[in-house]
Amino acid sequence: MSGPAKPSLHVLLAAPRGFCAGVDRAIQIVEVALEKYGAPVYVRHEIVHNKFVVQSLEAKGAIFVKELDQVPDDRPVVFSAHGVPKAVPAEAQRRNMIYVDATCPLVSKVHREAERHHKDGQHILLIGHAGHPEVIGTMGQLPPGTVTLVETVEDVATLEVPATENLAFVTQTTLSVDDTAGIVDALRERFPAISGPKREDICYATTNRQAAVKVIAQRADAVLVLGAPNSSNSMRLVEVAKVQGCPRSVLVQRAANIDWAELEGVATLGITAGASAPEVLVDEVLAELRQRYEVTVEEVVTAVEDVTFKLPRILAAE
């Protein structure tokens, strides 16, 4: 005799979701470094903000450390995708270490912009979140005191800057597109002469994932965002879904973390994944849902991504 019929659940799967080109490249860098140099290969900070990814690389022989002084001189070290202050590669060079920089090329682009503005004598306003590794890395490209962090629209009114006529702004690549637009408008209103990037610094993957989650959030009773609590782009996806009118939007690291009581009465569930969350975690959640529901899946495609980034030259086969 069969048990009671499972409730129906329609899943809206956001596309694009999950890994972006910068994350893909960073993980590949660690894997290729392990092949080339053998284990262990050290990695300064989490290569990307995802526990599952970090643990799978540890299983292959990567050792994650907080700072360079925890790395022996004779082992290679990889710098994370978020970027590092200039002092870090300088110290690695001083110690004659083999180091591989896995900074996302789109973060490096922001670093170059900031350097160019500094060279032109401009004071830089960095839109971003205090303490995030990407913000620390960007501020660390330039001398102390030459970059001021702006976190909110409210911050703009009280900013103290050396000269209002000679300013430029850059932004962290993983912010909310809409929030950042509000901060940029406030900056332009207060400092009409401020210069900014020709194209938005927020990366294509962040922009695309937010656009996709907006579409599914408008149709869903609840949204699950797969990602890590320290992943800025994943946290922004939750916020964006809520703003779009889906208050039952939550971050989960993987299927085991789902609070099933929160999904009580949900007929349409949106699912997406932050740029550092692997697709295997999405598959895991779908498998878990199928245990409990009669699931139909609709992939909602709002953009197609074909961006790839080359690996650093140091990893090329000799």
Side-chain angles (χ1 to χ4, degrees):
M1 209 174 88
S2 60
K6 294 180 194 170
S8 303
L9 182 68
H10 187 57
V11 171
L12 302 172
L13 203 50
R17 64 181 175 277
F19 279 0
C20 60
V23 164
D24 240 345
R25 173 179 178 267
I27 293 165
Q28 247 183 300
I29 284 172
V30 179
E31 290 172 339
V32 174
L34 282 161
E35 281 166 32
K36 181 168 176 149
Y37 304 112
V41 164
Y42 285 78
V43 185
R44 183 187 176 276
H45 291 185
E46 287 190 348
I47 186 71
V48 297
H49 284 154
N50 188 277
K51 201 190 277 178
F52 180 88
V53 171
V54 167
Q55 286 169 345
S56 55
L57 290 172
E58 280 175 335
K60 293 176 185 176
I63 295 175
F64 290 83
V65 295
K66 283 200 161 50
E67 292 304 339
L68 218 49
D69 58 16
Q70 295 166 271
V71 183
D73 289 352
D74 61 347
R75 291 311 302 160
V77 61
V78 177
F79 302 146
S80 83
H82 309 102
V84 293
K86 275 202 166 139
V88 176
E91 172 61 10
Q93 273 173 332
R94 189 191 67 75
R95 288 172 55 189
N96 287 322
M97 299 172 81
I98 293 172
Y99 69 88
V100 189
D101 190 351
T103 301
C104 172
L106 298 175
V107 174
S108 299
K109 175 179 154 279
V110 176
H111 291 179
R112 299 298 80 78
E113 277 171 13
E115 286 177 322
R116 197 179 67 246
H117 290 309
H118 177 62
K119 217 164 105 187
D120 293 344
Q122 292 172 305
H123 183 80
I124 293 147
L125 302 177
L126 168 61
I127 302 171
H129 295 296
H132 189 278
E134 189 187 323
V135 164
I136 293 165
T138 300
M139 293 183 91
Q141 301 304 302
L142 297 170
T146 58
V147 183
T148 301
L149 185 64
V150 183
E151 293 194 81
T152 63
V153 169
E154 291 70 40
D155 287 351
V156 175
T158 56
L159 276 177
E160 290 180 20
V161 292
T164 57
E165 292 309 303
N166 212 8
L167 295 173
F169 74 87
V170 295
T171 81
Q172 185 181 331
T173 62
T174 53
L175 299 175
S176 154
V177 175
D178 297 337
D179 288 355
T180 306
I183 297 172
V184 170
D185 289 346
L187 285 173
R188 290 198 191 284
E189 199 172 314
R190 186 170 167 205
F191 309 113
I194 196 168
S195 48
K198 284 188 185 69
R199 290 196 59 228
E200 195 51 81
D201 285 336
I202 295 174
C203 91
Y204 78 93
T206 299
T207 306
N208 288 349
R209 276 149 196 69
Q210 288 178 20
V213 87
K214 279 181 183 179
V215 173
I216 64 167
Q218 289 167 5
R219 292 176 53 196
D221 304 316
V223 171
L224 295 182
V225 176
L226 281 149
N230 60 341
S231 159
S232 173
N233 78 81
S234 300
M235 295 306 287
R236 301 298 79 75
L237 289 173
V238 177
E239 288 169 11
V240 168
K242 285 181 174 172
V243 168
Q244 286 301 311
C246 188
R248 290 165 83 172
S249 298
V250 290
L251 184 84
V252 289
Q253 298 206 55
R254 51 190 312 180
N257 308 120
I258 295 173
D259 178 349
W260 297 101
E262 281 185 346
L263 298 184
E264 202 66 47
V266 169
T268 303
L269 176 67
I271 296 179
T272 188
S276 43
E279 186 64 9
V280 63
L281 298 184
V282 175
D283 296 339
E284 185 186 87
V285 167
L286 288 172
E288 204 57 50
L289 289 169
R290 287 190 175 104
Q291 297 285 319
R292 292 171 163 78
Y293 300 91
E294 285 300 335
V295 175
T296 52
V297 177
E298 176 191 344
E299 190 166 45
V300 180
V301 181
T302 55
V304 176
E305 294 175 351
D306 56 4
V307 179
T308 54
F309 295 130
K310 283 188 194 134
L311 296 188
R313 250 187 242 124
I314 189 171
L315 292 178
E318 285 160 6

